[in-house]
């Protein structure tokens, strides 16, 4: 898990790839799955992350808040996340199953 201060930058993925390859080669036990990495940032573009297809590499990017938002702001943000998750699920339905397999499921998407 990598904690970053500020907005997500694509350059962060190179470091995470290195960590995951090292863990896979030197630390992973025979009965363990391939390691996954999580990059936490204060802001991230879901569209950018989706285009990078990081989930296929075992990398997830998530946002964290540095301050607790007001109730109205929290409800607005959760509403946005719900709409985005529903849109991603709808896009998945349009793709053939072979192209939809994911290494990591985003935490707002149910497992198939």
């Amino acid at each position: 898990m990598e904690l970053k201060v500020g907005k997500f930058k694509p350059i962060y993925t190179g470091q995470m790839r290195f960590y995951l390859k090292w863990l896979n080669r030197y630390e992973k036990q025979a009965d363990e799955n391939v390691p996954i990495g999580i990059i936490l940032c204060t802001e991230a573009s879901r569209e950018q992350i989706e285009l990078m297809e990081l989930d296929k590499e075992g990398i997830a990017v998530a946002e964290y808040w540095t301050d607790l938002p007001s109730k109205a702001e929290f409800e607005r943000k959760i509403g946005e996340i719900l709409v985005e998750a529903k849109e991603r699920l709808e896009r998945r339905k349009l793709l053939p199953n072979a192209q939809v397999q994911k290494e990591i499921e985003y935490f707002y998407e149910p497992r198939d």
Side-chain angles (χ1 to χ4, degrees):
M1 184 171 292
E2 186 82 24
L3 178 64
K4 299 293 186 180
V5 177
K7 187 175 180 176
F8 171 78
K9 297 176 185 172
I11 194 169
Y12 297 158
T13 60
Q15 186 175 21
M16 183 59 73
R17 283 185 192 107
F18 173 76
Y19 293 156
L20 294 177
K21 287 181 183 297
W22 191 90
L23 285 169
N24 194 47
R25 180 176 286 178
Y26 299 111
E27 296 290 328
K28 185 173 93 53
Q29 302 296 310
D31 61 339
E32 293 179 329
N33 292 327
V34 175
I36 62 169
I38 301 171
I39 302 171
L40 292 173
C41 301
T42 57
E43 186 181 340
S45 165
R46 293 211 180 269
E47 182 178 1
Q48 180 186 44
I49 293 162
E50 194 173 297
L51 285 172
M52 293 176 73
E53 298 182 331
L54 297 175
D55 52 327
K56 292 180 180 178
E57 299 179 59
I59 300 172
V61 178
E63 294 180 7
Y64 68 91
W65 291 332
T66 56
D67 295 314
L68 188 60
S70 67
K71 181 179 178 185
E73 178 68 14
F74 181 76
E75 289 174 344
R76 184 192 64 75
K77 186 71 170 173
I78 295 297
E80 287 176 6
I81 291 169
L82 181 61
V83 168
E84 289 173 4
K86 286 179 180 180
E87 288 172 357
R88 281 196 308 276
L89 288 171
E90 287 302 313
R91 283 195 301 271
R92 280 183 166 196
K93 290 178 184 176
L94 299 175
L95 298 173
N97 286 338
Q99 294 178 352
V100 178
Q101 291 188 338
K102 302 282 185 179
E103 291 290 325
I104 296 176
E105 294 291 333
Y106 293 101
F107 46 75
Y108 290 108
E109 295 179 343
R111 289 200 172 271
D112 295 293

